[in-house]
């Protein structure tokens, strides 16, 4: 069997997970738990799709998708950071809201299909056998997902603003006492998370399945959240996790081709069961989670004065 | 830069010494009013007469007897699940997989009903109900086990298991449990009368399940206010450290929360299929498990509050259906309303724990 097409489909299945998980990594590192990834992705997906259908511009669609993610993330930020609302409850609300809003906007876009984003064809480079097809000839979001996780990893571990962001996530009281604005850092981190979730949603509706269907994210936002835990808040491991899950998702498409006769429902279950399994494996080591999780995660910050 | 995100620099939120009872009640009322205002804006944007739309959505369904029985039918699963979730949420145990536990209740109970299709005994119904409840309980026990034994985040595991449960049901009605005489539709046989919950009012779908919901509210109320278990659950939620010092076992409360909420979601699931639907379908819930999360919060995590909140959210379901038929609003408006309501509620809830003070007032108080 030719392995190359399989690898290429794994890349498309992994990209939305990687994009969303990158955003959530930065958000959580700043000490905010945003469970609304699924909702933000859905809003990004429909916004990008609607833009692509009405303007025909892929680039504009991506931008609108990403900034729609920012817009709904802003609601979450105002509620949890300014109004000190419970982050878990607000994240759930964001998902319920995102499902409803995207379904409402999407009701007039059901059944329309779209030309997928153009591939980035570098003349003759992408005609090199195997390597050329593997490295070149993807759409722009695939490359962006790699760039963003690299940048996020570098930003968090090697730069001064990244250090401040981590300080805010580890101990907001100390960071505040040192004179850093906890509120500003967290707002920006949440909005960045929204941006990346919006991109992830755009990828789903523009490239992965270029059409709109209600709830088309099918739990990918939640899997992205699990990936951050799976990667113990480290960029490299999160990227590995995203590709692992991409591969599991793709597995279901190929198993029947290999002549194994299993009901499709059981294959569709695989990514969800795999998520539970990896969560169990990684969380078992309590000290490892404790050492890596941002200490202030999920806690509301209220300046003393 | 640091001032950008301080929207109200003149005001600060000051923690209250104790939870404001007044705001506990006022907050949901204000949130509902604000949601209705948003409704006016949304309906106008959709090009509908906002007041006609509001009437069709929230008033018209209640003008007929059938509408009122349907309200109770829809409120029943929401209240049953909501009461269970509220107990867990109070103890900071986040079961958000009620949709899956509901589905598993339908699968286990419905499977029993199909198995007893030719058994003519009054014992079939109790057996169906018990197994349905156990199905939900079992599905809720998995995240509790994974949390207490392996420290796995219960939010993520319970949600992932919801997808698994729904796919299980889909497999069963497409495969082994499909009605052979059903023209290949993915549906089970219709249950025998011995497996069905009795109808309470002629020509309606109102069934005994609604009585279960009322009974559960009463029992939960007593549990939370009059027993040591209820006390422990409340203390863990309010002051986890104090609970630790008092020697309350965290893992015991996680188990308890998940078993209660899972069992009640399972009961809701089997009551839905053996009372309202009468057979197994690929989808047995229009998202009751998720809407019940809102019901729990709107009902102030209190069993009696959940009863009222369940009725309000049920109205949003039948209102949505009515508005779809009468004035062609997309069905998705219901979900949007539910999300907006929860947002407003969470925003208003800040005043339960904090009060708004003007900076200058606070400063002068300090000087005194």
């Amino acid at each position: 069997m030719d392995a190359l097409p399989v690898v290429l489909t794994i890349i498309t299945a992994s990209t939305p997970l990687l994009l969303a998980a990158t955003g959530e990594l930065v958000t959580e590192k700043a000490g905010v738990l945003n469970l609304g990834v699924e909702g933000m992705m859905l809003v990004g997906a429909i916004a990008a799709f609607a833009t692509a259908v009405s303007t025909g511009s892929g680039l504009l669609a991506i931008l609108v998708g990403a900034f729609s993610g920012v817009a709904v993330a802003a609601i979450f930020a105002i509620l949890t950071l300014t109004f000190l609302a419970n982050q878990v409850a607000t994240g759930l609300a964001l998902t319920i809201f995102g499902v409803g809003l995207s379904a409402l906007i999407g009701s007039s876009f059901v059944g329309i299909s779209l030309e997928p984003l153009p591939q980035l064809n570098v003349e003759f480079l992408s005609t090199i056998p195997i390597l050329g097809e593997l490295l070149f000839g993807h759409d722009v979001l695939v490359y962006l997902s790699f760039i963003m996780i690299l940048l996020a990893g570098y930003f968090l571990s090697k730069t001064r603003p990244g250090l401040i962001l981590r300080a805010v996530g580890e101990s907001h009281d100390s960071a505040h006492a040192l004179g850093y604005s906890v509120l500003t850092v967290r707002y920006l981190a949440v909005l960045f998370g929204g941006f990346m979730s919006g991109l992830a949603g755009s990828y789903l509706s523009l490239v992965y399945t270029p059409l709109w269907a209600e709830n088309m994210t099918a739990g990918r936002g939640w899997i992205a959240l699990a990936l951050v835990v799976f990667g113990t808040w480290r960029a490299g491991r999160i990227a590995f996790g995203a590709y692992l899950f991409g591969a599991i998702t793709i597995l279901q498409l190929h198993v029947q081709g290999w002549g194994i006769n299993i009901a499709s429902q059981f294959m569709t279950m695989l990514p969800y069961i795999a998520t539970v399994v990896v969560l169990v494996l990684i969380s078992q080591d309590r000290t490892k989670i404790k050492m890596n999780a941002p200490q202030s995660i999920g806690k509301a910050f209220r300046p003393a004065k | 830069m640091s001032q950008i995100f301080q929207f109200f620099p003149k005001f600060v939120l000051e923690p209250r010494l104790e939870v404001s009872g007044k705001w506990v009640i006022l907050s949901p009322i204000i949130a509902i009013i604000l949601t209705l205002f948003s409704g006016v804006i949304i309906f106008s944007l959709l090009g509908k007469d906002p007041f006609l739309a509001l009437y069709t959505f929230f008033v018209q369904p209640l003008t007929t007897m059938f509408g009122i029985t349907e309200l109770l039918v829809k409120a029943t699963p929401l209240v049953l699940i909501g009461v269970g979730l509220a107990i867990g949420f109070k103890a900071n145990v986040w079961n958000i997989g009620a949709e899956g536990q509901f589905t598993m209740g339908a699968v286990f109970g419905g499977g029993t009903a199909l198995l007893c299709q030719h058994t003519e005994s009054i014992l079939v119904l109790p057996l169906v109900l018990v197994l349905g409840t156990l199905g939900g309980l079992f599905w809720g026990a998995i995240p509790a086990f994974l949390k207490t034994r392996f420290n796995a985040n219960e939010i993520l595991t319970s949600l992932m298991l919801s997808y698994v449960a729904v796919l299980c049901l889909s497999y069963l009605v497409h495969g082994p449990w499909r009605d052979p005489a059903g023209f290949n539709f993915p549906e089970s046989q219709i249950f025998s009368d011995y497996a069905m919950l009795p109808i309470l009012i002629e020509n309606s779908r109102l069934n005994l399940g609604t009585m279960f919901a009322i009974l559960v509210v009463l029992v939960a109320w007593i549990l939370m206010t009059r027993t040591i278990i209820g006390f422990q659950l409340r203390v863990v939620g309010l002051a986890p450290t104090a609970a630790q010092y008092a020697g309350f076992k965290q893992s015991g409360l996680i188990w308890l929360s998940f078993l209660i909420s899972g069992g009640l979601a399972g009961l809701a699931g089997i009551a839905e299929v053996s009372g309202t639907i009468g057979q197994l379908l690929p989808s047995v819930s229009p998202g009751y498990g998720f809407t019940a999360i809102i019901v729990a919060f709107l009902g102030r995590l209190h069993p009696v509050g959940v009863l009222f909140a369940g009725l309000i959210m049920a109205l949003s379901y039948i209102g949505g259906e009515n508005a779809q038929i009468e004035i062609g609003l997309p069905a998705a408006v219901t979900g949007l309303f539910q999300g907006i309501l929860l947002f407003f509620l969470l925003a208003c809830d800040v005043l339960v724990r904090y009060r708004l003070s003007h900076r200058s007032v606070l400063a002068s108080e300090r000087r005194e």
Side-chain angles (χ1 to χ4, degrees):
Chain A
M1 202 193 79
D2 199 357
L4 189 66
V6 180
V7 176
L8 292 179
T9 46
I10 290 177
I11 294 176
T12 34
S14 312
T15 301
L17 296 174
L18 184 55
L19 286 167
T22 305
E24 185 64 18
L25 167 68
V26 173
T27 306
E28 290 193 12
K29 271 290 185 186
V32 184
L33 179 65
N34 185 354
L35 293 179
V37 178
E38 182 89 355
M40 299 189 292
M41 279 175 74
L42 278 168
V43 173
I46 186 58
F49 189 78
T51 311
V53 168
S54 20
T55 67
S57 160
L59 190 68
L60 189 66
I62 293 172
L63 279 175
V64 171
F67 280 99
S68 311
V70 173
V72 282
I75 306 176
F76 176 87
I78 292 168
L79 281 173
T80 56
L81 302 175
T82 303
F83 288 118
L84 308 176
N86 180 309
Q87 291 181 9
V88 173
T90 313
L92 295 176
L94 185 56
T95 290
I96 294 172
F97 174 79
V99 171
L101 180 65
S102 61
L104 178 61
I105 300 172
S107 56
S108 47
F109 289 94
V110 174
I112 304 174
S113 64
L114 200 67
E115 285 288 303
L117 278 190
Q119 298 176 335
L120 214 61
N121 268 326
V122 187
E123 268 317 305
F124 91 66
L125 275 184
S126 41
T127 55
I128 304 171
I130 302 179
L131 202 64
E133 282 182 72
L134 201 58
L135 293 183
F136 306 100
H138 300 293
D139 54 84
V140 57
L141 283 173
V142 170
Y143 298 107
L144 194 62
S145 72
F146 286 116
I147 296 171
M148 290 312 275
I149 190 72
L150 282 173
L151 276 181
Y154 177 78
F155 169 79
L156 287 172
S157 58
K158 296 280 189 298
T159 68
R160 192 176 157 75
L163 185 68
I164 295 170
L165 182 136
R166 282 191 291 141
V168 165
E170 290 300 332
S171 166
H172 47 216
D173 290 323
S174 319
H176 177 70
L178 288 171
Y180 298 118
S181 170
V182 174
L183 214 54
T184 308
V185 170
R186 288 196 170 162
Y187 258 95
L188 294 176
V190 169
L191 296 181
F192 176 75
F195 183 86
M196 295 305 291
S197 291
L199 276 184
S202 313
Y203 187 82
L204 282 176
S205 66
L206 297 179
V207 185
Y208 193 66
T209 48
L211 45 81
W212 167 254
E214 239 176 76
N215 262 324
M216 68 182 298
T217 45
R220 287 189 182 82
W222 295 100
I223 294 179
L225 277 161
L227 281 176
V228 178
V229 181
F230 170 76
T232 53
W233 293 269
R234 290 179 198 187
R237 291 176 189 185
I238 289 172
F240 169 72
Y243 271 75
L244 181 69
F245 272 83
I248 294 171
T249 314
I250 288 308
L251 191 65
Q252 54 175 308
L253 302 177
H254 291 282
V255 159
Q256 259 144 357
W258 297 335
I260 304 168
N261 195 14
I262 301 179
S264 68
Q265 286 92 348
F266 291 111
M267 297 315 299
T268 315
M269 272 178 209
L270 268 183
Y272 309 119
I273 294 178
T275 307
V276 174
V277 172
V278 297
L279 273 175
V280 164
L281 291 179
I282 211 81
S283 312
Q284 225 174 346
D285 192 347
R286 278 166 209 258
T287 37
K288 192 171 177 185
I289 292 290
K290 245 203 172 114
M291 293 289 287
N292 289 293
Q295 294 302 302
S296 295
I297 194 159
K299 291 178 190 153
F301 170 74
R302 197 185 61 84
K305 276 198 289 297
Chain B
M1 187 69 184
S2 66
Q3 295 302 315
I4 293 179
F5 293 113
Q6 294 216 316
F7 297 112
F8 316 104
K10 290 262 190 283
F11 290 93
V12 276
L13 289 169
E14 241 198 312
R16 294 179 192 274
L17 289 177
E18 54 187 283
V19 166
S20 160
K22 184 181 77 178
W23 277 100
V24 168
I25 307 293
L26 270 181
S27 166
I29 296 171
I30 295 175
I32 289 170
I33 294 170
L34 289 172
T35 308
L36 291 180
F37 273 118
S38 320
V40 172
I41 298 168
I42 293 166
F43 291 137
S44 311
L45 286 175
L46 290 170
K48 310 282 178 193
D49 173 4
F51 296 100
L52 175 69
L54 278 180
Y55 174 81
T56 329
F57 215 101
F58 295 107
V59 184
Q60 202 186 35
L62 301 178
T63 53
T64 63
M65 190 59 197
F66 181 72
I68 291 171
T69 59
E70 278 297 293
L71 181 76
L72 296 175
V73 166
K74 291 264 193 307
T76 298
L78 292 175
V79 171
L80 279 171
I81 307 171
V83 167
L85 293 184
I87 291 172
F89 291 173
K90 254 205 144 68
N92 268 327
V93 179
W94 299 98
N95 174 10
I96 62 165
E99 186 80 2
Q101 292 139 21
F102 179 94
T103 305
M104 273 304 168
V107 165
F108 277 63
T112 312
L114 292 173
L115 211 65
C116 303
Q117 199 67 308
H118 304 292
T119 315
E120 293 178 3
S121 159
I122 52 157
L123 292 177
V124 172
L125 182 62
L127 190 69
V128 164
L129 292 174
V130 167
L131 271 144
T133 309
L134 287 177
L137 191 109
F138 160 64
W139 213 242
I142 301 173
F145 172 71
L146 299 178
K147 172 78 179 179
T148 50
R149 177 74 180 75
F150 298 110
N151 191 35
N153 183 310
E154 80 274 21
I155 300 173
L156 295 171
T157 54
S158 64
L159 188 90
M160 288 294 132
L161 288 168
S162 287
Y163 288 100
V164 175
V166 171
L167 286 163
C168 273
L169 173 63
S170 164
Y171 164 72
L172 290 168
V173 294
H174 279 94
W177 289 0
R178 175 155 52 186
D179 181 3
F183 305 102
N184 242 353
F185 281 112
E187 297 172 357
S188 79
Q189 286 183 317
I190 292 178
F191 301 152
S192 79
D193 287 346
Y194 289 97
M196 299 275 270
L197 283 167
I199 296 287
L200 296 179
I201 294 178
E202 285 283 310
N203 297 324
S204 79
R205 301 199 294 169
L206 189 66
N207 56 67
L208 199 62
T210 306
M211 292 295 144
F212 295 160
I214 295 168
L215 197 68
V216 162
V217 166
L218 290 174
V219 172
W221 190 10
I222 294 166
L223 175 84
M224 289 307 281
T225 53
R226 297 278 178 276
T227 68
I228 186 77
I229 293 172
F231 175 71
Q232 292 194 354
L233 284 165
R234 280 181 291 140
V235 171
V236 169
L238 286 172
T241 337
Q244 215 168 8
Y245 282 123
F248 302 163
K249 278 237 171 63
Q250 176 78 28
S251 62
L253 292 173
I254 292 170
W255 272 106
L256 191 74
S257 303
F258 264 99
L259 293 182
I260 294 177
S261 53
L264 286 177
L267 177 62
I270 186 54
E272 183 73 10
V273 289
S274 88
T276 311
I277 305 178
Q279 66 184 135
L280 286 175
L281 304 172
S283 166
V284 289
S285 157
Y288 286 138
F290 298 111
T291 306
I293 296 172
I294 310 178
V295 168
F297 284 117
L298 190 66
R300 319 284 61 202
L301 305 184
H302 187 287
V304 179
V306 166
L307 185 65
F308 289 108
L311 288 169
I312 291 166
M313 296 311 282
L315 182 59
S316 80
Y317 272 116
I318 51 171
E321 284 170 14
N322 195 47
Q324 200 184 348
I325 299 161
E326 295 279 326
I327 50 175
L329 275 176
V333 171
T334 303
L336 182 63
F337 268 150
Q338 293 180 348
I340 292 176
L341 175 61
L342 188 50
F343 274 145
F344 279 130
L345 182 71
L346 292 166
C348 294
D349 269 356
V350 71
L351 292 169
V352 172
R353 286 171 301 122
Y354 299 93
R355 68 193 175 108
L356 210 55
S357 316
H358 200 272
R359 250 177 219 284
S360 59
V361 176
L362 206 65
S364 63
E365 271 174 9
R366 285 247 162 73
R367 276 195 295 275
E368 274 162 21

